[in-house]
Amino acid sequence: MTKRPGILLTIGATVAGLVTAAPPPATADGGARPAAAQLRWTDCGTKAYPRLQCAKVTTPLDHDNPSGRRITLALSRVPHTSKNFQGPLLVNPGGPGGSGLTMAGFVASALPKAVAAGYDVIGFDPRGVGRSRPALDCVPRYFDPVRPDSVPDSPGAERANRNRTRAFAEACGRKYPDLLPFLDTVSAAKDLDVIRRATGARQLNYFGYSYGTYLGAVYAKLFPERVRRLVLDSNVDPDDVWYDANIAQDHAFDARHKAFTAWIAKHDATYRLGTDPARVERAWYAMRAAVGLHPAGGKVGPSELEDTFLPGGYYDGYWPELAEAFAAYAHDGDEDALVDAYERFGAVDAEGDNGYAVYVAVQCRDARWPRFWNTWLGDSRRTHTKAPFFTWNNNWYNAPCADWPVAPLNPVRVSNRSLPPALLFQATDDAATPYPGGVTLHRRLHGSSLVVEQGGGNHGITLGGNDCLDGYLADYLAKGTVPRARHGRDVADAVCPRTPEPEPPADGPAAKSVRPTDSGSRGAVLHRMLGPRA
């Protein structure tokens, strides 16, 4: 699940020329009959993706009242060029709250040309997100520094965080009382079918990362006969939506943070923070304590420091840059290095405010959260003793759900025996959507195939440069073929070696600066779209 709307929601290309078109009226069967295409596409290409086109479609705010108020969804497309047209391929980067407009260009360019040519690759901003209208922003600049320390060391510190999250929930309720009841995964899944009908397709193909796997699984549950091909990468555990999923994340992100400090210890010749991973980890927490007393540059306190280093749990390609900032502060007290890293990885802009508002709105509405605050406190205290890196930060990030002004729904049980074979991808050490969730979803989707990246820790693993994983993806999208385990007892149908860990820069860390990550690598481009907290 994408959960920190910082760096990756700021890099989406600006798309313009969106044209609104209403789909045909919903039929009694929910639109199973094919319809003539209703979308009018206009050029909105960017330097990176010159073939992008844009359109808009309207959808009912309340799908149970299709003649009532309508809202607008922003779409993007890279059109097919092959005579062997395989239909629309809807792509989603996760969230909830992630914008998908740029992702159409990325997927179309990252797939083998012959495969991409067969599809209209369609990105979209889900309801409430980005260029869709209306777009949410409950509390502008909610994440501006310096926030209270996430780890409450006194009743007063706890109250400061608690009052802040309660005020966020109240602000959302005041600003959007008419919208919040309809910001949920089921409504978003029904929007996918509106998009399908607007394209004129009888069936759709779908490719989702992170939260996008849950959105795709819910769509498949609601409309199994309308699914042609289904690719789900880094899978949400459908049995843990959403409170339990966050506790699982706390432990998994702590493990990834330990992997990061072990990597720094392995490269002690570059970073000079020690060869013992435990010593490096202690140095990191000493840095956290230091910015608690004196926020670096007046911007980076403990909460901002956690925000800055959290993306390293999603993508190890960020490790050299984060390690460089860490070492510069530890050795030289270089506050500018931490501020630069924070502004790149942790700071939240207006797009991030929007993404967070939708994230909270959807997760709070999707399922029941504890309303008794002592439940949150007790779980966070217990988890923090074993997983101190992320637990309290994650607690406050989700805490508006304790006071959400709209009653929760019951989660969809996504078990499905009516689908064509789906293809699932999962890394064993993924922190945002831990490995057991992929196994659970594999078992829930009868006939699905699970491809595992053994030892991989990145979140979002296809189209990131791993040829083994990408080969299975290309075969499936081209021909519908999936791997099958030789023995029915095997959990994984195929296993790929992990993408190699990054190496420090050959010339060592640069003084007084933070070296930019290789923006040309496919993995870096992908993870700037998926975002931290996916």
Side-chain angles (χ1 to χ4, degrees):
M1 298 167 289
T2 303
K3 299 175 63 179
R4 175 62 67 204
I7 59 168
L8 303 191
L9 296 181
T10 66
I11 60 97
T14 299
V15 288
L18 298 170
V19 178
T20 301
T27 60
D29 63 359
R33 297 197 303 270
Q38 296 291 311
L39 296 170
R40 290 178 290 155
W41 297 96
T42 62
D43 290 338
C44 60
T46 67
K47 183 178 180 180
Y49 307 118
R51 296 181 57 227
L52 270 181
Q53 301 173 343
C54 291
K56 289 184 180 179
V57 65
T58 64
T59 186
L61 173 64
D62 179 0
H63 284 279
D64 291 334
N65 181 22
S67 61
R69 178 183 174 185
R70 302 185 75 82
I71 59 175
T72 302
L73 305 178
L75 312 179
S76 64
R77 178 181 75 162
V78 176
H80 72 282
T81 56
S82 171
K83 293 181 180 179
N84 181 28
F85 180 44
Q86 303 216 49
L89 173 63
L90 271 64
V91 296
N92 181 272
S99 169
L101 295 182
T102 303
M103 192 165 191
F106 170 78
V107 170
S109 64
L111 286 170
K113 289 183 179 179
V115 177
Y119 290 94
D120 282 347
V121 183
I122 296 177
F124 59 98
D125 280 353
R127 54 175 54 203
V129 175
R131 290 182 173 266
S132 293
R133 292 293 180 268
L136 267 66
D137 188 352
C138 296
V139 180
R141 305 176 68 107
Y142 179 71
F143 289 99
D144 275 8
V146 173
R147 308 196 311 273
D149 190 333
S150 65
V151 180
D153 59 1
S154 68
E158 181 206 323
R159 281 194 301 272
N161 278 299
R162 177 80 172 104
N163 291 340
R164 185 171 173 275
T165 61
R166 183 188 291 114
F168 186 91
E170 292 170 350
C172 289
R174 285 193 304 270
K175 290 182 74 171
Y176 304 109
D178 54 337
L179 296 178
L180 295 187
F182 307 106
L183 286 166
D184 60 88
T185 300
V186 170
S187 295
K190 291 179 179 179
D191 290 341
L192 299 186
D193 211 54
V194 169
I195 297 171
R196 176 197 63 80
R197 295 203 311 271
T199 68
R202 185 179 64 84
Q203 292 180 305
L204 60 73
N205 308 279
Y206 180 87
F207 178 11
Y209 290 90
S210 190
Y211 165 78
T213 66
Y214 185 63
L215 177 61
V218 171
Y219 178 83
K221 180 67 173 182
L222 299 177
F223 307 106
E225 73 282 1
R226 297 172 198 167
V227 175
R228 181 174 180 269
R229 288 178 189 159
L230 182 65
V231 181
L232 306 177
D233 182 331
S234 304
N235 296 277
V236 169
D237 190 328
D239 293 349
D240 285 348
V241 177
W242 291 109
Y243 183 76
D244 289 342
N246 281 282
I247 294 176
Q249 281 187 336
D250 297 341
H251 292 281
F253 273 108
D254 197 78
R256 287 301 290 160
H257 188 62
K258 286 180 168 59
F260 167 61
T261 56
W263 180 87
I264 293 175
K266 177 181 175 182
H267 296 288
D268 181 59
T270 298
Y271 300 111
R272 298 181 295 110
L273 289 166
T275 58
D276 178 8
R279 176 183 171 185
V280 177
E281 189 175 18
R282 288 193 298 271
W284 192 91
Y285 283 103
M287 176 174 63
R288 187 190 188 284
V291 299
L293 295 173
H294 175 74
K299 286 187 175 181
V300 183
S303 294
E304 290 75 26
L305 189 76
E306 291 163 347
D307 296 348
T308 301
F309 282 80
L310 180 64
Y314 285 86
Y315 177 51
D316 60 19
Y318 299 141
W319 286 0
E321 194 169 341
L322 292 170
E324 185 171 319
F326 176 13
Y329 184 85
H331 294 309
D332 303 320
D334 187 346
E335 296 187 6
D336 290 343
L338 283 190
V339 171
D340 288 346
Y342 163 71
E343 290 177 346
R344 173 164 169 74
F345 292 108
V348 177
D349 62 7
E351 289 181 74
D353 287 335
N354 166 241
Y356 177 67
V358 176
Y359 167 87
V360 173
V362 171
Q363 294 219 339
C364 297
R365 178 65 166 149
D366 264 359
R368 190 169 302 280
W369 294 73
R371 302 296 283 194
F372 187 45
W373 184 244
N374 280 349
T375 301
W376 294 71
L377 288 182
D379 287 340
S380 292
R381 287 168 179 163
R382 282 188 293 273
T383 305
H384 177 78
T385 61
K386 297 180 179 179
F389 169 64
F390 182 53
T391 295
W392 280 106
N393 190 304
N394 202 22
N395 174 83
W396 301 120
Y397 197 83
N398 291 280
C401 292
D403 301 286
W404 201 242
V406 180
L409 302 170
N410 292 318
V412 175
R413 184 165 178 80
V414 300
S415 294
N416 206 318
R417 302 183 67 87
S418 303
L419 294 175
L423 183 60
L424 280 58
F425 293 90
Q426 192 74 37
T428 56
D429 298 340
D430 182 352
T433 51
Y435 177 74
V439 174
T440 298
L441 188 60
H442 176 38
R443 290 170 175 161
R444 294 279 184 273
L445 302 183
H446 181 75
S448 65
S449 178
L450 176 64
V451 179
V452 170
E453 184 186 15
Q454 186 66 45
N458 290 337
H459 179 64
I461 57 176
T462 56
L463 301 184
N466 185 311
D467 291 341
C468 176
L469 298 169
D470 292 350
Y472 287 115
L473 174 65
D475 285 347
Y476 179 69
L477 290 177
K479 299 173 287 187
T481 57
V482 296
R484 293 295 182 196
R486 294 182 179 180
H487 306 288
R489 294 187 301 273
D490 292 350
V491 171
D493 293 284
V495 177
C496 289
R498 63 153 299 165
T499 303
E501 288 183 344
E503 292 292 329
D507 54 348
K512 302 291 183 183
S513 70
V514 177
R515 187 183 313 276
T517 300
D518 178 11
S519 60
S521 75
R522 219 164 70 188
V525 173
L526 170 65
H527 286 89
R528 283 198 300 273
M529 269 185 290
L530 297 187
R533 291 206 182 179

